[in-house]
């Protein structure tokens, strides 16, 4: 048994592998696991032909997990002699039986086989013939425990795999045998290059699964690092599916966007575009089995998802600039803008050092292609309208691309989110615009895209979406009214047309704020005594703005004006009273609460003076 196994064993083993690779949908509908069960039967026959495990290995079978023996205790022992070779081949069979049982959803049996595989290999796990199989078995146990939501156990197995790989590469370094080679004759053994490729692919899987585990544990920095390393290695070893790689890179960009690391985010998105462009253009392999023609819907979905990641990039970069340059009432602060302009040179000087610290994807032509995409997109905060418009147009391009797939018919929520992002792009662009009439036109574009969303949506099924859109429309009309008032204030004698326009915008804002507030009522149309935490701030803001809107209606009718002031006072009073009985609400709207208290104090006196004036006239 120290040499090559007999032809019967080799043939049965190869036949089992072939059956294991049969896709489930190719089995009879009523027997989806037929090929898996056939492979299992052959594997069990091979195990019987190999004979029992050596006795000392049986005694080691009861191990508790990956950390029961320190890695430093492992020595690069080879599985020499008949007993060692038999143990090694039995471990290969136990591994495949473990994977087989997991594939047929028999997880406990799968765990037992994988544990036996590890037990058989433990004395030799750092050897040329065992290390790859040992890591693969631990990877599969890591996945199994992750699916059971036993994340700490999964993490232990995967970190043990990572440590074993690093120790092997440090102490030995030569490409280890692939597990299948233990059932091949000498003349069919793999080349050193192929062995290296397969071993590196196993380790890449370790990093990929670790990234998911760290993400699940909310260790986001670590998860991003491992995800980035996985993607980089997949490119280096040419072992990736373009569509899957691209969506993972685009998803990783969102981590960097949230960290305000826009250079890194841009790099991920640019790489995603370049690699996604390879879909259907490179030969099919085991790592890249699908082409665009095989899955047109998924192709267009992924294209839309990458576009949405680009939208978030443009929007967040613009919003970050707005936050840095706005004053306490949300307008452009020219002093802050000047300070940021002065910092621009320092940011440009630091660009190269930031780039060197960042992990880069690809080499040679691929690197050049990614750089070509990057160079067309800014990563520094826009400081004026022209720079902001450049980002806006890029974001809008991807809005149109995302909407090609995420249409209202079939993807209601996704479509609405894309439209809301489009609206947000216009909103932040308006911040950079100094001409108030042009700002109004931008807000008008937002209204034109948002109002149709409220038509035809089931208000109960899409309650949260409806509320979001109603509140945003109301706020947009509110901003437009403020702009028109500011324009009117600059005129010596505003004409009736602008007064009518202000009142029209006021009325529209009131309509949508009221629709939002009415959505909070119970089936009996009663407003809640306790407003839920998720809508508390929007509800309080809506009440405050309704109060302010009623106080700003322009009318020549004194009686109507008094009614409006009374309605305004009623809403201000609601805010003050609610915050007195619900202290948590006061923390949500500190500024608005202070203003409301002031108005509750001032309005009754103003109304009394108004009544006196009316009585005298």
């Amino acid at each position: 048994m120290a040499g090559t196994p007999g032809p019967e064993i080799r043939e049965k083993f190869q036949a089992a592998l072939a059956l294991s690779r049969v896709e489930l949908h190719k089995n009879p509908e009523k027997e989806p696991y037929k090929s898996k069960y056939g492979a299992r039967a052959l594997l069990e026959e091979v195990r019987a032909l190999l004979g029992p495990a050596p006795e000392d290995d049986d005694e080691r079978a009861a191990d508790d997990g990956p950390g029961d023996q320190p890695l430093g205790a492992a020595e690069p022992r080879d599985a020499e002699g008949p007993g060692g070779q038999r143990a090694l081949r039995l471990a290969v069979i136990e591994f495949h039986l473990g994977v087989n049982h997991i594939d047929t959803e028999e997880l406990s049996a799968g765990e037992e086989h994988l544990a036996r595989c590890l037990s058989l290999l433990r004395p030799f796990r750092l050897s040329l013939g065992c290390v790859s199989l040992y890591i693969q078995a631990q990877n599969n146990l890591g996945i199994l425990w992750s699916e059971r939501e036993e994340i700490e156990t999964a993490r232990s197995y995967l970190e043990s795999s990572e440590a074993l790989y690093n120790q092997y590469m440090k102490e030995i370094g030569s490409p280890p045998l692939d597990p299948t080679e233990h059932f091949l004759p000498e003349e069919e053994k793999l080349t050193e290059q192929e062995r290296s490729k397969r071993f590196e692919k196993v380790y890449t899987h370790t990093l990929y699964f670790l990234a998911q585990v760290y993400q699940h544990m909310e260790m986001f920095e670590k998860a991003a690092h491992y995800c980035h390393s996985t993607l980089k290695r997949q490119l280096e070893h040419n072992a990736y599916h373009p569509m899957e790689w691209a969506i993972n890179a685009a998803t990783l960009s969102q981590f960097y966007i949230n960290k305000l690391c826009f250079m890194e985010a841009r790099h991920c998105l640019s790489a995603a575009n370049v690699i996604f462009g390879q879909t259907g253009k490179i030969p099919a392999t085991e790592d890249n089995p699908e082409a665009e023609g095989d899955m047109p819907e998924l192709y267009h979905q992924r294209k839309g998802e990458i576009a949405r990641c680009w939208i978030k990039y443009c929007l967040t970069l613009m919003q970050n600039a707005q936050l840095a340059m706005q004053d306490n009432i949300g307008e452009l602060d020219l002093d802050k803008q000047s300070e940021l302009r002065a910092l621009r040179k320092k940011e440009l000087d630091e660009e190269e050092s930031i780039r060197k610290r960042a992990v880069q994807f690809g080499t040679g032509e691929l690197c050049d292609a990614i750089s070509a995409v990057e160079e067309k997109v800014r990563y520094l905060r826009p400081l004026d309208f022209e720079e902001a418009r450049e980002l806006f147009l890029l974001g809008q391009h991807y809005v149109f691309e995302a909407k090609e797939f995420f249409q209202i018919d079939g993807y209601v929520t996704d479509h609405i989110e894309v439209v809301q992002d489009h609206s947000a792009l216009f909103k932040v662009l308006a911040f950079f615009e100094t001409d108030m009439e042009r700002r109004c036109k931008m807000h008008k574009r937002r209204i034109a895209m948002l109002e149709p969303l409220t038509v035809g949506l089931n208000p109960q099924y899409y309650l949260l979406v409806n509320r979001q859109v109603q509140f945003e429309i109301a706020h947009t009309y509110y901003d437009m009214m403020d702009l028109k008032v500011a324009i009117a204030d600059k005129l010596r004698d505003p004409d009736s047309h602008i007064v009518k326009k202000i009142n029209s915008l006021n009325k529209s804002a009131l309509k949508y704020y009221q629709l939002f507030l009415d959505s909070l009522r119970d089936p009996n149309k009663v407003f809640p005594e306790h407003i839920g935490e998720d809508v508390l701030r929007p509800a309080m803001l809506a009440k405050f703005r309704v109060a302010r809107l009623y106080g700003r209606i322009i009318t020549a009718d004194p009686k109507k004006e008094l009614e409006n002031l009374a309605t305004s006072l009623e809403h201000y009073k609601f805010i003050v009273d609610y915050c007195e009985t619900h202290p948590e609400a006061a923390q949500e709207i500190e500024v608005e609460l202070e203003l409301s208290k002031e108005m509750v104090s001032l309005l009754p006196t103003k109304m009394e003076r108004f009544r006196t004036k009316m009585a005298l006239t």
Side-chain angles (χ1 to χ4, degrees), residues 462-526:
Y462 293 105
L463 178 63
L464 295 179
V465 172
N466 253 319
R467 283 177 179 169
Q468 288 175 6
V469 176
Q470 287 164 354
F471 189 88
E472 187 175 353
I473 293 172
H475 193 36
T476 307
Y477 275 122
Y478 185 87
D479 287 343
M480 288 176 71
M481 185 204 71
D482 273 348
L483 284 168
K484 287 295 182 184
V485 169
I487 292 168
D489 287 344
K490 291 184 177 182
L491 301 174
R492 288 186 180 180
D493 186 23
D495 58 24
S496 59
H497 173 74
I498 196 165
V499 170
K500 187 177 179 181
K501 186 64 180 176
I502 289 168
N503 280 343
S504 174
L505 293 168
N506 189 312
K507 183 180 178 181
S508 294
L510 279 171
K511 171 189 169 183
Y512 281 99
Y513 277 130
Q514 200 55 58
L515 283 170
F516 169 79
L517 290 168
D518 287 345
S519 75
L520 303 177
R521 298 179 184 275
D522 66 19
N524 296 320
K525 308 297 181 186
V526 177

Side-chain angles (χ1 to χ4, degrees), residues 376-613:
K376 296 175 184 176
V377 182
R378 68 171 52 253
Y379 75 93
L380 293 174
R381 291 175 296 193
L383 301 182
D384 55 36
F385 181 80
E386 287 306 316
E387 290 183 358
R389 183 173 178 272
E390 185 183 317
L391 273 170
F392 167 83
L393 291 174
L394 180 67
Q396 183 169 251
H397 163 78
Y398 283 110
V399 164
F400 297 145
E401 194 165 285
K403 284 167 72 175
E404 286 179 15
F405 180 81
F406 295 109
Q407 299 182 14
I408 192 75
D409 185 14
Y411 294 93
V412 176
T413 304
D414 292 296
H415 178 83
I416 289 174
E417 286 174 355
V418 172
V419 174
Q420 285 178 303
D421 282 343
H422 196 187
S423 168
L425 284 167
F426 269 106
K427 181 180 180 181
V428 71
L429 181 64
F431 167 81
F432 291 91
E433 177 55 73
T434 54
D435 184 290
M436 286 190 281
E437 286 289 359
R438 287 180 65 184
R439 284 173 77 176
C440 273
K441 288 176 181 176
M442 291 179 194
H443 289 308
K444 193 174 181 180
R445 289 285 302 274
R446 295 173 63 203
I447 295 292
M449 65 180 71
L450 290 168
E451 280 194 321
L453 298 179
T454 62
V455 180
L457 280 185
N458 185 317
Q460 290 182 322
Y461 189 75
Y462 293 105
L463 178 63
L464 295 179
V465 172
N466 253 319
R467 283 177 179 169
Q468 288 175 6
V469 176
Q470 287 164 354
F471 189 88
E472 187 175 353
I473 293 172
H475 193 36
T476 307
Y477 275 122
Y478 185 87
D479 287 343
M480 288 176 71
M481 185 204 71
D482 273 348
L483 284 168
K484 287 295 182 184
V485 169
I487 292 168
D489 287 344
K490 291 184 177 182
L491 301 174
R492 288 186 180 180
D493 186 23
D495 58 24
S496 59
H497 173 74
I498 196 165
V499 170
K500 187 177 179 181
K501 186 64 180 176
I502 289 168
N503 280 343
S504 174
L505 293 168
N506 189 312
K507 183 180 178 181
S508 294
L510 279 171
K511 171 189 169 183
Y512 281 99
Y513 277 130
Q514 200 55 58
L515 283 170
F516 169 79
L517 290 168
D518 287 345
S519 75
L520 303 177
R521 298 179 184 275
D522 66 19
N524 296 320
K525 308 297 181 186
V526 177
F527 200 78
E529 292 184 9
H530 178 79
I531 301 170
E533 185 181 344
D534 58 326
V535 290
L536 179 57
R537 177 167 169 76
M540 291 290 103
L541 284 176
K543 282 284 186 181
F544 177 80
R545 287 170 183 169
V546 166
R548 186 167 178 265
L549 286 163
Y550 271 106
R552 301 191 72 173
I553 296 173
I554 303 170
T555 177
D557 183 347
K559 186 179 178 182
K560 188 65 180 173
E561 186 165 353
L562 190 60
E563 288 176 7
N564 291 338
L565 289 173
T567 306
S568 180
L569 176 60
E570 180 187 332
H571 283 84
Y572 284 127
K573 199 168 185 306
F574 174 90
I575 294 167
V576 175
D577 293 345
Y578 189 88
C579 288
E580 283 181 2
T581 55
H582 301 80
E584 72 279 2
Q587 299 171 8
E588 294 288 331
I589 51 160
E590 291 179 0
V591 175
E592 291 80 7
L593 177 58
E594 286 306 309
L595 290 170
S596 296
K597 287 178 179 178
E598 190 177 325
M599 296 307 290
V600 166
S601 173
L602 295 174
L603 276 180
T605 306
K606 181 178 180 180
M607 291 167 67
E608 191 55 44
R609 285 201 305 267
F610 209 82
R611 288 190 189 95
T612 304
K613 185 179 178 182

Side-chain angles (χ1 to χ4, degrees), residues 82-118:
Q85 287 294 310
R86 186 166 69 251
L88 206 158
R89 289 180 184 128
L90 282 169
V92 174
I93 300 302
E94 292 292 350
F95 171 78
H96 284 287
L97 282 170
V99 173
N100 181 284
H101 281 82
I102 291 170
D103 287 345
T104 58
E105 301 179 50
E106 299 165 79
L107 301 187
S108 294
E111 180 192 351
E112 290 175 13
H113 285 292
L114 291 172
R116 279 202 287 270
C117 170
L118 293 181

Side-chain angles (χ1 to χ4, degrees), residues 149-290:
E149 297 191 0
E150 294 281 351
I151 303 301
E152 278 293 350
T153 306
R155 175 185 177 181
S156 296
Y157 276 111
L158 293 167
E159 286 182 345
S160 176
S161 288
E162 181 187 25
L164 183 59
Y165 169 87
N166 288 329
Q167 185 180 0
Y168 178 85
M169 294 304 288
K170 180 181 178 182
E171 296 180 12
I172 301 174
S174 55
L177 271 68
D178 186 76
T180 57
E181 290 189 82
H182 297 298
F183 290 87
L184 291 176
E186 198 61 36
E187 64 273 13
E188 293 181 23
K189 293 287 177 72
L190 303 177
T191 62
E192 293 272 298
Q193 185 179 8
E194 182 61 25
R195 284 176 180 174
S196 178
K197 178 184 173 183
R198 294 192 184 192
F199 187 49
E200 293 302 331
K201 182 180 174 183
V202 168
Y203 180 56
T204 300
H205 285 162
T206 302
L207 300 181
Y208 175 77
F209 299 131
L210 271 171
Q212 295 183 42
V213 163
Y214 291 138
Q215 179 76 17
H216 198 285
M217 297 176 76
E218 299 185 1
M219 299 167 69
F220 300 121
E221 289 273 0
K222 213 165 185 179
H225 169 74
Y226 277 80
C227 181
H228 214 149
S229 297
T230 300
L231 293 169
K232 186 174 173 63
R233 287 175 59 83
Q234 286 175 334
L235 290 180
E236 287 171 355
H237 299 287
N238 197 30
Y240 62 93
H241 175 204
M243 199 186 301
E244 182 185 354
W245 193 98
I247 200 68
N248 286 336
T251 304
L252 179 60
S253 75
Q254 304 304 285
F255 167 80
Y256 289 119
I257 289 170
N258 290 334
K259 296 279 290 181
L260 305 181
C261 299
F262 293 107
M263 180 186 281
E264 291 87 342
R266 179 185 66 171
H267 185 68
C268 288
L269 288 167
S270 300
N273 276 16
V274 171
I275 298 299
F276 191 81
Q278 296 177 357
T279 306
K281 296 177 183 176
I282 58 178
T285 65
E286 183 185 345
D287 296 308
N288 174 36
E290 296 150 338

